[in-house]
Amino acid sequence: MSRRLPESLKKIPHTYCPGCGHGIIHRLVAESLDELELREKTVAIAPVGCAVFGYHYWNFDTAEAAHGRPPAAATGIKRVLPDRIVITYQGDGDLAAIGGNEIIHAANRGENISVFFVNNACYGMTGGQMAPTTMFDQVTTTTPLGRTLEDGYPVKVCELLSVLEGVSYIERVAVNSPANIMKAKKAVKKALGYQARNRGFTLVEFLSMCPTGWKVSPEKSLEWIDERMLRIFPLGVYKDKG
Amino acid sequence: MKKLWKGNHALVEGALAGGLDAYFGYPITPQNEVPEYMSLRMKQEKRVFLQAESELASINMVFGAALTGKRAMTTSSSPGISLMQEGISYLVGCELPAVIVNVQRGGPGLGNIAGAQGDYFQSVKGGGHGDYRLITLTPFSVQEMYEMTRDSFDLAFKYRNPVLILADGVIGQMLEPADLPEKVPPRKEFPYSMDWILDGAAGRDSRFIRSLVMDEGGLEQHNYRLWDKFAKMEKEISWEEHGTEDADVILVGYGTSARINLDVYNSARKNGLKAGYFRLRTAFPFPSKRLSELSSRSGFLVTEMSMGQMVEDVRLAVSGRSDVEFYGRPAGGLPEEEKIYGILERMLK
Amino acid sequence: MKAGKKKILLINEEYCKECGFCIKFCPNNTLAKKNTINSRGFHPAELKGECSFCGICYTVCPDFAIEIVDEEQISR
Ligand SMILES: Cc1ncc(C[n+]2csc(CCOP(=O)(O)OP(=O)(O)O)c2C)c(N)n1
Ligand code: SF4
């Protein structure tokens, strides 16, 4: 099989850190849109976070919304252009902290959009501070002695949203091995396919490497997901209405 | 034919006449009639209505719809408009057209639900972060609630900038005769280029819209371009004046305060006082030049339903050439006619 | 896949950031870090020996730096 970069990616190098999962997830979204022939129908919302420059790398229509508000902006697009594919791409700070309200209500309305949620257990862009998804004992720049109970529990987005009636499909995947990446791609295609068939709200959570925020080597960051994240954030399908 | 209309209802009809495609809003008094009546009218006209989970969501839903080149709008009252400020700043930064209505109430904080004019600064000086301006229209009657809302979409698309309608709770709640068409008039297409919209990159290059400008000097250039645009908005300045040819003192107001001034002006003239009347129809751009001209022979008495905000712009325009006095009441207090009349008489002595 | 089509592994050295994922996961152990550096200061990956064109390196590369193409596609 030949493996060509998809048309949905622009042919330019990106500025993510070495080993960062964003590049892989960008490519999975782009490949999936190509394979489903949806590129020309897609409007995406990039977040405030490391992926803020998504529009420099994606070759489909993209805008950047205020921090945490991509689900609201996507709702605005989808409501006026219901036959387009509308996606948001959000980090854990964007989606689970400042944008907690918007994601819950978009999910609850069964907004027919696909959310690609990148959980890297920290705030990458602002320098590696605690995110809602930061785990106990994890050292970040604002939990220098590790996260404690005082900071609250890590937020489990898939578990939380899957109880909402409007949600049609939610899966948590990881991008730290070839097998996991293949599964992640299947999940992306499934979410987009559901949207194309007007099934309602879909979300894929990616456990994604942030070697810089975690202060480990790229190679170590792959293991870090297995060793530290999987226990708190088990992979799997949390909801599938078909 | 004139019929009795409520200001907030006339606003909805105006939006429909302006070709509104999508409305997003969150309830707050004294503008609840807007989302309520809008929810029915948008369904009837087969357009988009959505009650958002907050004003943060409303303004960002407007942002999303605006990205696609559709005519989008939200309405709220003071606390809700405060919540929207980040979103409004993004709309300006991204050069997106949208209409936002503030049916002002008393503040600060939760304040009260009476009509007030305490949000003038927030509206015309750039209420959110960054250097920016909004075209700000100030309706004075139920008829103008209709007309200004109708015409605001054209302005928003002409400049690719949000337009703010700065109303107040008195005008929103007021019932008065207004001449509105029986049926929603046919949609008017605008002559402006739409080569920027995001609707899927079919048969064209992909596009992006953003307000983050990180390249060296890029944001400075972006700001210069925006300011050129704000300067061009001067063309839209609009006001109404009476009796200014020979007035020694001119009453200045907007919205509800101007209505009160009009009564005072009429009785002053009846009594032979050389009073004038001036009201803003646009608060940004501000009719500075005209006020400056008038200051060569007249003094000014500015009234507001606040402790004095718009008066600062009058003082800047007049620049010390004549007297500018102020009378206002905050938090839903209506300026009293007798008081205004008394100050006017004193100034004319 | 049509039999007989000759494949080529393309490594865009300028895009590579030396994360080492392709090297780690290559089932044939045929990728390594180059001795030289690219313009951004990274040692790009290079092919040392036989490649089975399984595409795992393409799959794990976060930097859009690896593609597998049919030879005829690039000779054109
Ligand atoms: C209103 C607002 N508050 C704070 C910020 C600063 N900020 C930018 S990115 C970010 C965190 C992003 O983290 P996350 O969503 O986890 O994405 P990542 O960078 O890790 O991919 C913050 C707090 C902002 N831009 N806007
Ligand atoms: S800080 Fe983390 S998330 Fe951001 S680009 Fe670097 S590795 Fe990726």
Side-chain angles (χ1 to χ4, degrees):
Chain A
M1 223 208 302
S2 65
R3 299 289 168 94
R4 301 303 304 265
L5 288 168
E7 193 187 356
S8 292
L9 276 186
K10 290 181 191 153
K11 306 296 171 286
I12 53 165
H14 62 61
T15 53
Y16 298 113
C17 307
C20 174
H22 276 305
I24 295 174
I25 303 166
H26 280 22
R27 198 191 67 227
L28 295 183
V29 172
E31 285 172 356
S32 303
L33 288 172
D34 269 29
E35 287 165 29
L36 298 168
E37 297 183 12
L38 296 174
R39 188 188 76 86
E40 298 188 344
K41 290 180 72 178
T42 296
V43 183
I45 297 289
V48 173
C50 283
V52 67
F53 286 127
Y55 49 77
H56 282 326
Y57 313 129
W58 287 321
N59 187 21
F60 41 83
D61 281 4
T62 306
E64 145 213 297
H67 196 22
R69 318 296 166 218
T75 298
I77 300 169
K78 192 72 184 191
R79 292 286 171 135
V80 296
L81 296 177
D83 63 341
R84 287 334 123 87
I85 295 295
V86 181
I87 65 179
T88 73
Y89 185 104
Q90 302 178 254
D92 40 34
D94 195 79
L95 181 141
I98 194 167
N101 204 31
E102 283 73 18
I103 193 67
I104 286 174
H105 288 278
N108 190 54
R109 284 191 301 267
E111 213 59 66
N112 192 29
I113 59 173
S114 301
V115 174
F116 299 120
F117 166 46
V118 181
N119 176 356
N120 59 9
C122 70
Y123 284 12
M125 187 183 218
T126 38
Q129 296 87 356
M130 181 184 76
T133 47
T134 293
M135 291 161 295
F136 287 129
D137 298 331
Q138 184 184 334
V139 171
T140 70
T141 52
T142 49
T143 53
L145 306 177
R147 184 177 185 158
T148 67
L149 249 182
E150 275 175 40
D151 305 306
Y153 295 85
V155 173
K156 303 179 179 191
V157 168
C158 292
E159 290 84 336
L160 192 68
L161 295 181
S162 59
V163 300
L164 298 174
E165 305 281 351
V167 173
S168 71
Y169 168 62
I170 291 198
E171 182 166 355
R172 183 181 288 127
V173 297
V175 293
N176 65 335
S177 71
N180 279 345
I181 293 170
M182 313 274 218
K183 273 192 213 143
K185 164 108 174 258
K186 280 213 183 87
V188 172
K189 282 180 87 164
K190 192 160 168 182
L192 292 169
Y194 277 31
Q195 183 182 165
R197 284 179 285 118
N198 295 314
R199 287 290 201 272
F201 184 90
T202 50
L203 179 144
V204 179
E205 172 175 343
F206 303 85
L207 305 184
S208 173
M209 297 76 77
C210 178
T212 307
W214 303 343
K215 304 201 168 40
V216 298
S217 68
E219 193 168 335
K220 264 260 167 285
S221 73
L222 301 169
E223 293 158 25
W224 205 93
I225 288 184
D226 286 334
E227 288 162 10
R228 303 196 59 172
M229 292 187 84
L230 290 185
R231 269 183 300 128
I232 316 285
F233 301 113
L235 304 185
V237 176
Y238 285 81
K239 180 132 185 197
D240 190 351
K241 279 201 197 166
Chain B
M1 199 192 54
K2 283 198 171 180
K3 277 209 280 202
L4 267 190
W5 280 92
K6 197 172 212 179
N8 284 337
H9 291 157
L11 159 78
V12 171
E13 292 298 333
L16 290 166
L20 175 66
D21 292 305
Y23 173 93
F24 306 95
Y26 187 84
I28 183 169
T29 312
Q31 62 86 59
N32 288 323
E33 296 81 6
V34 180
E36 287 169 2
Y37 184 56
M38 188 73 85
S39 63
L40 176 69
R41 294 294 286 123
M42 292 297 266
K43 283 252 152 64
Q44 288 171 336
E45 298 290 327
K46 299 197 169 43
R47 307 186 197 178
V48 174
F49 171 92
L50 184 62
Q51 181 171 328
E53 60 269 29
S54 72
E55 290 85 353
L56 289 177
S58 314
I59 194 70
N60 284 286
M61 289 172 181
V62 166
F63 177 92
L67 288 169
T68 71
K70 299 285 184 187
R71 300 179 198 175
M73 167 189 210
T74 185
T75 64
S76 187
S77 179
S78 309
I81 299 291
S82 290
L83 267 184
M84 291 183 193
Q85 292 303 321
E86 185 200 29
I88 293 173
S89 172
Y90 272 68
L91 284 164
V92 176
C94 291
E95 297 193 75
L96 293 174
V99 174
I100 300 139
V101 184
N102 183 359
V103 183
Q104 295 172 91
R105 62 187 246 176
L110 197 51
N112 63 19
I113 58 170
Q117 295 182 327
D119 304 347
Y120 178 90
F121 284 153
Q122 183 197 54
S123 312
V124 305
K125 307 291 178 189
H129 58 285
D131 259 345
Y132 74 85
R133 292 292 185 267
L134 303 178
I135 293 180
T136 305
L137 310 178
T138 54
F140 149 98
S141 60
V142 171
Q143 187 70 37
E144 276 193 356
M145 285 289 256
Y146 174 83
E147 287 169 8
M148 284 186 174
T149 311
R150 179 194 61 199
D151 300 341
S152 60
F153 292 94
D154 194 333
L155 288 172
F157 277 78
K158 185 172 181 182
Y159 294 99
R160 280 180 61 191
N161 200 69
V163 172
L164 182 82
I165 297 177
L166 186 63
D168 64 63
V170 177
I171 288 171
Q173 295 297 326
M174 178 189 298
L175 269 171
E176 72 177 3
D179 192 6
L180 274 49
E182 290 289 323
K183 275 206 324 213
V184 176
R187 182 189 171 93
K188 194 180 106 195
E189 292 309 324
F190 301 142
Y192 317 118
S193 156
M194 298 294 276
D195 61 1
W196 50 270
I197 67 167
L198 305 187
D199 60 349
R204 59 161 170 83
D205 287 346
S206 59
R207 297 175 181 147
F208 60 80
I209 292 181
R210 52 90 172 90
S211 57
L212 180 70
V213 188
M214 295 282 273
D215 44 306
E216 184 73 34
L219 187 59
E220 188 175 345
Q221 292 309 318
H222 182 50
N223 269 270
Y224 290 143
R225 263 188 344 91
L226 291 177
W227 276 94
D228 278 349
K229 200 164 80 170
F230 303 149
K232 289 206 182 87
M233 291 172 184
E234 289 279 299
K235 285 204 288 277
E236 313 301 337
I237 293 182
S238 176
W239 72 87
E240 185 184 341
E241 62 178 70
H242 301 295
T244 44
E245 328 71 58
D246 63 347
D248 291 327
V249 174
I250 299 172
L251 295 164
V252 185
Y254 71 96
T256 297
S257 64
R259 289 179 78 104
I260 299 169
N261 287 349
L262 189 57
D263 288 343
V264 178
Y265 163 76
N266 284 328
S267 30
R269 278 286 165 173
K270 244 187 239 139
N271 297 337
L273 297 184
K274 282 194 166 178
Y277 167 84
F278 190 101
R279 79 163 170 105
L280 312 180
R281 285 168 46 87
T282 56
F284 182 87
F286 189 80
S288 305
K289 257 200 212 119
R290 182 58 188 151
L291 286 167
S292 168
E293 285 162 17
L294 292 170
S295 69
S296 61
R297 66 150 295 139
S298 315
F300 300 90
L301 172 53
V302 179
T303 70
E304 292 179 68
M305 288 150 68
S306 79
M307 293 307 285
Q309 301 192 11
M310 186 261 285
V311 63
E312 292 194 4
D313 283 339
V314 177
R315 288 203 172 108
L316 278 173
V318 168
S319 202
R321 278 182 295 273
S322 66
D323 283 348
V324 179
E325 291 210 22
F326 174 76
Y327 164 58
R329 288 181 66 193
L334 290 175
E336 291 162 43
E337 287 188 21
E338 305 77 61
K339 265 243 167 91
I340 304 172
Y341 199 94
I343 302 171
L344 189 65
E345 271 188 317
R346 175 171 56 71
M347 287 178 75
L348 286 168
K349 262 188 205 137
Chain C
M1 188 179 24
K2 269 197 210 129
K5 258 194 193 166
K6 202 153 182 291
K7 305 274 174 211
I8 295 184
L9 181 80
L10 291 178
I11 298 178
N12 189 336
E13 296 191 352
E14 277 304 311
Y15 284 28
C16 179
K17 297 200 196 100
E18 204 185 326
C19 67
F21 292 176
C22 54
I23 299 171
K24 177 182 167 83
F25 288 112
C26 173
N28 300 311
N29 238 328
T30 191
L31 290 163
K33 280 183 195 176
K34 214 173 174 173
N35 285 331
T36 54
I37 55 169
N38 64 18
S39 69
R40 295 197 278 184
F42 295 111
H43 296 272
E46 73 174 334
L47 193 60
K48 290 184 304 190
E50 277 296 296
C51 171
S52 62
F53 306 109
C54 65
I56 282 179
C57 51
Y58 167 89
T59 302
V60 298
C61 176
D63 286 292
F64 315 158
I66 300 183
E67 288 188 276
I68 296 171
V69 301
D70 297 333
E71 188 177 38
E72 56 195 56
Q73 284 180 309
I74 55 158
S75 53
R76 250 185 281 134

